[in-house]
Amino acid sequence: MKFNRRDFLKMGGGAGAAIALGGGFWKWSQFPVAEKPNAPGVEKWTPTVCGQCTGGCGTLVRVIDGWAVNIAGNPLHPVNRGTLCPKGIAGLQGLYDPDRIRSPMKRIGKRGEGRFQPITWEEALHLVSESLKDLRQKGEAHHLVVLGGRYRGLMRSLWDRFLNSFGSPNYIDNQFRWEEPPVEGLFLTQGIHDLPTYDIENAQYILSFGSGLLESPWSPVQMLRGYGHFRRGRPGMRGRLVQIESRLSFTGIKADEWIPVQPGAEGILALGIAHMIIKEGLYHKEFISGQTFGFESWAGPDGREHLGFKEFVLSEYEPTVVSKRTGVPIDQLIRLAREFSSSQPSLAIGYRDRPFHQMAVAILNGLVGNIDVSGGVLIPRSIPYQSLPPFKEDAIAQRGNSQKRIDEGKGISVNHPYLFARNTLSGKPYKPKVLFLYYTNPLFSNPDPGLFSKALQEIPLVVSFSPYMDDSAQLSDLILPDHTPLERWQDDPVFLNNGFPVLGIRQPVIPPLYRTKATGDFLLALARSLGGQIQKAFPWNDFKEVMMVSLKGVFEAKRGDTFGLQFDEAWTRLLQRGGWSVPSYKNFEEFSKLLLDKGGWWDPVYDFGERDRVFRTPSRKFEFYSQGWKKARSSSSAEGKDSSFLPHWEESKEAGNEKEYPLHLHVFRTMSLTGGRNANQPWLQAMTGQHLFEKWKTWVEINPVTAKRMSISDGDWVWVESPRGKVRVKARLYKGAMPDVVNIPFGQGHASGGRWSKGLGQNPYRLIGDDLDPITGYPTHGTTRVKVYKA
């Protein structure tokens, strides 16, 4: 095929524009038409939902003669409107991964040797069923534990229902990531345990405190589209972004201003900004007086005086104190406070730092009144599923469910995976006998993975449902491989930046390639095998039937509509605000068909002013003084000082002394290998470090001045060592690294996983210690110190 110069420039310019705008990647991934194409086959395009990350993007999969051959964005899906990121396109490599687990496997060697033999699903069901029957016969139903990872929807309800009917209180959520939205901060200020959403499209000013908005957000394509609108989507208005973090990330590069601070120091900077907003009287007085609690000092029902946030922050976080701790000049701090309060609506967005550091960022939004307003912090409604019918617990289940959780802690979080691992080793309150791993890989994705490795060795039966041989599956006794996302039924509830609830439908685009089985279907079969009240609690034939029963609630809610063009969105919103409901379907059969044909349902209306949804604190207001945390503490410890319930700065205990370990360690994530789930996909391995042209390996970013002092040159292989361990990585000199901070990407260093991931690179989480935050039960951020020297 011939190309002239003009054709080449058109293609190159178009691709560059698409990348610059953060969308439309898939359009430039197609090959030119072949001169001698294959004979035409039977073609169809099936809408589904991408499963490469948590973004929830809608896709159209091209299938020819039963083979999936291409993935494009679904233009009707409101999350991505036809665009995809590189991970979405690489979904075919997850489907056709030559190292996929192709049938149930039983361990035949020692744990960790990787020696397994294929078995039938009937054998697998028998082995698991007999083990669970034995637990119940011994009165040890609560010794069953499920460790669940990053997924959404009805599968979580199915796991809860199974454990409740079986007799175990031990579903443990292992989704924690520092890069996630600050959910603990939301609980402390608004009493909500769910994720918030940030209406960046309608904001004018964003202060991002360490948030990976443009490289590792929970929904990358949606965030990139929102950022494009924030910057250039409103004629005559250009949003301003200020990035505050220890490394010049992609977000920092794209921002108007990057302000470097030490890892973990973002919270005290937020308190310094709050100090100046209050001192200069720049806060939203109407919102503060009518919709907040604890801003001013106050007296309790017993007459006791309590310290308010205003008095506390003015006395404790003066600009000189904050500037000395963060290195941010006082005049810059004052300017940020003035810009944030005058450029309305403005947003302060943090990451999952220590809870009261999260709260310090959250209260900035409260100070300027940007809660439940356009361009502010929004609380989306949940999907109106129909509840599954109630069931009766038998006597064994009642006794088991009344037992203590194996990970019982004293903080905000219900789930404490690190306490689970520690308690497994100690045997207190008891040791688990059976562990199910569902979409989680703690031996890789958790800091201090060695702790989880030791814990798994203590459990008699470990069952993994991973489609791939990951680090944790390799230590399992049974591997019961789930379908890949392109082969299974699954609901995917998400929300948009503007708070609209969205329900994507993941459906099989081709039949399963191998002898895999949907985990939901296996759970239903397991319930039938266990019999009795457990069997009665699961009257459905397969997971698709469970999903369709639950979706009747969406149909009966008489809100929203199935996906459509953007004109349909405006029409639906107009009718719904007028009290009309005119969906594109007349009955449930039509509704379910349109769901599959278009890819899902959504409700393009956000209901402002629903206080009971937005504020679930004891005061039913935005709280500067967290009564929710005070109530949680009162049952287990002394009441504590008033400052314990106000946003405050907590100096973390550092792992390693400064003299021996002079550098701070900062671990970051790249968009291509976010979470390490996609490491065995070579397309993504080939683009992990675009800013440094790095791929297929792990590197450490070092400031050039620091590297010169240590006689390290660009490209040298070095050891990065902490008190916990050391990793061998490639040194890259990067001016975007602070002089006393080194940065290592997360995503490589798998002990297992396939030919394109096993043994490649290093996992920096092996350098992080086990100092746990007392409120969350998770490792504290930014506390690991390291030294670097030539390998």
Side-chain angles (χ1 to χ4, degrees):
M1 172 162 287
K2 297 181 179 179
F3 289 93
N4 59 34
R5 182 174 181 273
R6 179 174 295 177
D7 290 333
F8 179 81
L9 291 175
K10 283 182 180 179
M11 291 180 64
I19 293 172
L21 292 173
F25 299 113
W26 70 271
K27 298 174 183 176
W28 307 103
S29 69
Q30 315 305 308
F31 292 102
V33 178
E35 292 184 354
K36 295 181 179 180
N38 295 327
V42 178
E43 178 192 62
K44 67 174 181 177
W45 289 83
T46 302
T48 186
V49 179
C50 180
Q52 290 281 85
C53 74
T54 60
C57 292
T59 59
L60 294 174
V61 181
R62 187 185 186 205
V63 179
I64 298 180
D65 291 340
W67 293 94
V69 298
N70 189 28
I71 299 178
N74 181 355
L76 302 183
H77 201 295
V79 167
N80 57 313
R81 288 292 180 193
T83 59
L84 280 182
C85 77
K87 284 185 291 190
I89 300 169
L92 289 177
Q93 294 194 328
L95 174 66
Y96 295 124
D97 186 339
D99 300 312
R100 275 183 61 183
I101 300 173
R102 304 188 179 194
S103 71
M105 305 282 283
K106 178 183 177 182
R107 178 174 60 84
I108 57 174
K110 294 181 179 179
R111 277 197 175 158
E113 286 184 345
R115 295 175 56 204
F116 292 85
Q117 69 178 16
I119 59 175
T120 66
W121 279 104
E122 290 74 20
E123 290 176 280
L125 179 62
H126 177 76
L127 289 171
V128 176
S129 178
E130 290 303 307
S131 296
L132 296 188
K133 287 178 181 177
D134 185 60
L135 285 184
R136 284 173 61 86
Q137 288 171 0
K138 293 178 178 178
E140 297 178 339
H142 57 290
H143 289 249
L144 168 64
V145 177
V146 176
L147 200 62
R150 300 176 66 77
Y151 67 97
R152 294 183 290 259
L154 292 166
M155 270 303 298
R156 174 59 191 273
S157 301
L158 209 65
W159 278 118
D160 286 341
R161 191 178 181 91
F162 180 81
L163 287 174
N164 288 337
S165 64
F166 183 81
S168 174
N170 290 314
Y171 182 95
I172 302 173
D173 192 322
N174 190 37
Q175 294 192 50
F176 183 88
R177 292 195 331 179
W178 285 312
E179 296 82 5
E180 286 183 334
V183 292
E184 284 82 19
L186 188 69
F187 169 77
L188 292 170
T189 55
Q190 294 180 240
I192 296 170
H193 283 289
D194 300 322
L195 294 176
T197 185
Y198 300 102
D199 189 11
I200 67 169
E201 287 95 328
N202 295 307
Q204 288 198 43
Y205 189 95
I206 296 177
L207 273 181
S208 172
F209 292 85
S211 173
L213 285 178
L214 303 183
E215 58 269 302
S216 58
W218 72 270
S219 186
V221 174
Q222 184 187 174
M223 190 60 70
L224 289 170
R225 292 180 66 240
Y227 175 76
H229 186 83
F230 166 77
R231 296 293 261 181
R232 298 193 293 182
R234 299 165 291 182
M237 183 185 300
R238 178 181 172 87
R240 178 175 173 81
L241 170 64
V242 178
Q243 181 72 2
I244 301 165
E245 63 178 338
S246 60
R247 170 182 176 266
L248 183 60
S249 63
F250 281 164
T251 306
I253 291 170
K254 290 289 186 180
D256 297 276
E257 184 178 6
W258 170 51
I259 299 178
V261 296
Q262 294 289 350
E266 296 88 355
I268 192 171
L269 181 59
L271 290 167
I273 294 172
H275 174 104
M276 290 309 306
I277 290 175
I278 295 173
K279 185 175 183 178
E280 298 195 350
L282 302 176
Y283 54 91
H284 194 298
K285 296 175 179 59
E286 183 180 352
F287 179 83
I288 294 296
S289 63
Q291 300 190 51
T292 69
F293 173 85
F295 181 74
E296 301 282 358
S297 297
W298 51 285
D302 58 358
R304 178 187 167 191
E305 290 291 327
H306 292 275
L307 180 67
F309 176 70
K310 177 182 176 180
E311 181 181 346
F312 174 68
V313 77
L314 288 178
S315 64
E316 297 294 327
Y317 296 101
E318 294 183 350
T320 51
V321 174
V322 174
S323 178
K324 182 178 180 181
R325 179 60 184 82
T326 62
V328 176
I330 294 176
D331 59 342
Q332 192 174 36
L333 191 154
I334 295 172
R335 175 175 57 81
L336 290 176
R338 291 172 178 172
E339 288 179 354
F340 183 76
S341 55
S342 62
S343 304
Q344 293 302 305
S346 58
L347 270 173
I349 303 175
Y351 65 100
R352 208 168 177 186
D353 196 1
R354 301 192 70 172
F356 282 96
H357 300 177
Q358 297 178 36
M359 191 183 185
V361 175
I363 56 91
L364 292 178
N365 296 308
L367 282 174
V368 294
N370 285 333
I371 308 296
D372 198 40
V373 298
S374 179
V377 180
L378 304 178
I379 305 300
R381 291 190 315 278
S382 57
I383 302 297
Y385 290 112
Q386 177 175 292
S387 299
L388 297 177
F391 62 92
K392 182 180 179 181
E393 296 178 4
D394 62 21
I396 296 175
Q398 291 175 13
R399 285 195 299 271
N401 290 327
S402 68
Q403 301 297 316
K404 283 186 177 181
R405 285 174 59 95
I406 195 171
D407 66 331
E408 189 170 278
K410 299 179 181 179
I412 292 174
S413 302
V414 176
N415 302 278
H416 299 91
Y418 284 85
L419 292 182
F420 153 72
R422 289 181 175 183
N423 293 347
T424 297
L425 294 174
S426 69
K428 298 178 181 179
Y430 49 85
K431 282 183 176 288
K433 300 290 182 66
V434 178
L435 173 66
F436 289 165
L437 298 171
Y438 182 69
Y439 275 86
T440 186
N441 182 14
L443 270 66
F444 174 80
S445 59
N446 286 62
D448 193 16
L451 172 67
F452 289 88
S453 178
K454 294 174 184 176
L456 261 62
Q457 295 282 7
E458 296 291 318
I459 302 173
L461 178 62
V462 178
V463 181
S464 170
F465 294 92
S466 174
Y468 310 101
M469 183 64 78
D470 58 40
D471 298 39
S472 302
Q474 185 164 285
L475 239 65
S476 302
D477 302 287
L478 291 173
I479 306 175
L480 311 182
D482 198 352
H483 298 323
T484 66
L486 295 179
E487 299 168 309
R488 70 171 180 259
W489 291 99
Q490 193 171 11
D491 58 308
D492 193 43
V494 293
F495 49 80
L496 302 187
N497 293 333
N498 54 17
F500 300 166
V502 176
L503 177 61
I505 300 297
R506 185 173 290 126
Q507 59 179 314
V509 301
I510 61 171
L513 293 177
Y514 308 114
R515 289 196 301 115
T516 56
K517 184 186 287 288
T519 303
D521 292 349
F522 181 82
L523 267 186
L524 293 171
L526 182 58
R528 289 191 291 270
S529 176
L530 292 172
Q533 293 298 326
I534 302 176
Q535 180 179 5
K536 292 178 181 179
F538 294 87
W540 309 282
N541 294 313
D542 53 31
F543 182 76
K544 181 184 178 183
E545 185 178 344
V546 176
M547 191 172 74
M548 289 303 172
V549 168
S550 300
L551 291 179
K552 288 182 179 178
V554 181
F555 168 74
E556 293 170 356
K558 299 188 184 303
R559 290 193 61 133
D561 204 344
T562 51
F563 294 161
L565 299 172
Q566 287 180 300
F567 171 80
D568 300 323
E569 168 190 346
W571 180 242
T572 301
R573 186 182 300 119
L574 179 65
L575 290 172
Q576 198 157 297
R577 283 178 175 168
W580 295 84
S581 176
V582 189
S584 55
Y585 42 82
K586 297 178 182 178
N587 51 52
F588 182 73
E589 288 70 28
E590 289 185 9
F591 170 70
S592 57
K593 183 178 185 304
L594 286 173
L595 275 181
L596 303 185
D597 290 344
K598 294 187 175 182
W601 167 95
W602 71 320
D603 184 358
V605 175
Y606 182 86
D607 296 322
F608 291 100
E610 294 184 348
R611 293 280 296 269
D612 289 342
R613 187 184 81 250
V614 177
F615 300 127
R616 304 176 200 168
T617 55
S619 65
R620 290 296 185 265
K621 295 181 178 181
F622 183 93
E623 293 193 348
F624 289 93
Y625 185 105
S626 180
Q627 295 184 103
W629 173 231
K630 185 176 184 178
K631 183 178 180 181
R633 275 193 61 176
S634 63
S635 62
S636 58
S637 64
E639 187 174 339
K641 298 179 181 179
D642 281 333
S643 59
S644 301
F645 310 108
L646 295 167
H648 60 273
W649 170 251
E650 298 174 316
E651 193 73 55
S652 299
K653 176 185 176 183
E654 292 188 333
N657 64 76
E658 184 175 353
K659 184 175 181 181
E660 185 177 0
Y661 300 97
L663 302 170
H664 292 275
L665 173 66
H666 173 65
V667 177
F668 67 95
R669 294 178 187 251
T670 65
M671 180 179 283
S672 60
L673 296 184
T674 302
R677 182 183 291 183
N678 319 108
N680 205 43
Q681 297 171 14
W683 287 353
L684 301 181
Q685 282 279 13
M687 54 176 291
T688 51
Q690 305 99 314
H691 63 301
L692 295 173
F693 301 100
E694 283 294 345
K695 52 190 177 182
W696 294 97
K697 64 176 71 71
T698 303
W699 67 93
V700 56
E701 296 171 357
I702 309 175
N703 183 277
V705 175
T706 305
K708 184 177 181 180
R709 188 174 68 244
M710 297 186 295
S711 300
I712 292 173
S713 301
D714 192 41
D716 285 350
W717 286 93
V718 298
W719 289 105
V720 179
E721 183 178 338
S722 77
R724 202 74 180 177
K726 63 179 183 178
V727 295
R728 183 176 181 269
V729 293
K730 183 179 180 181
R732 294 305 313 269
L733 307 192
Y734 183 49
K735 293 182 179 179
M738 292 180 66
D740 54 352
V741 180
V742 294
N743 311 289
I744 302 180
F746 174 79
Q748 304 277 23
H750 292 266
S752 185
R755 67 195 69 184
W756 293 305
S757 62
K758 182 179 180 179
L760 293 178
Q762 299 285 344
N763 184 355
Y765 277 1
R766 298 187 181 279
L767 300 175
I768 296 175
D770 59 354
D771 180 32
L772 304 184
D773 183 273
I775 299 179
T776 64
Y778 287 95
T780 52
H781 177 262
T783 61
T784 300
R785 301 190 70 95
V786 297
K787 57 184 176 182
V788 180
Y789 51 94
K790 284 187 177 182

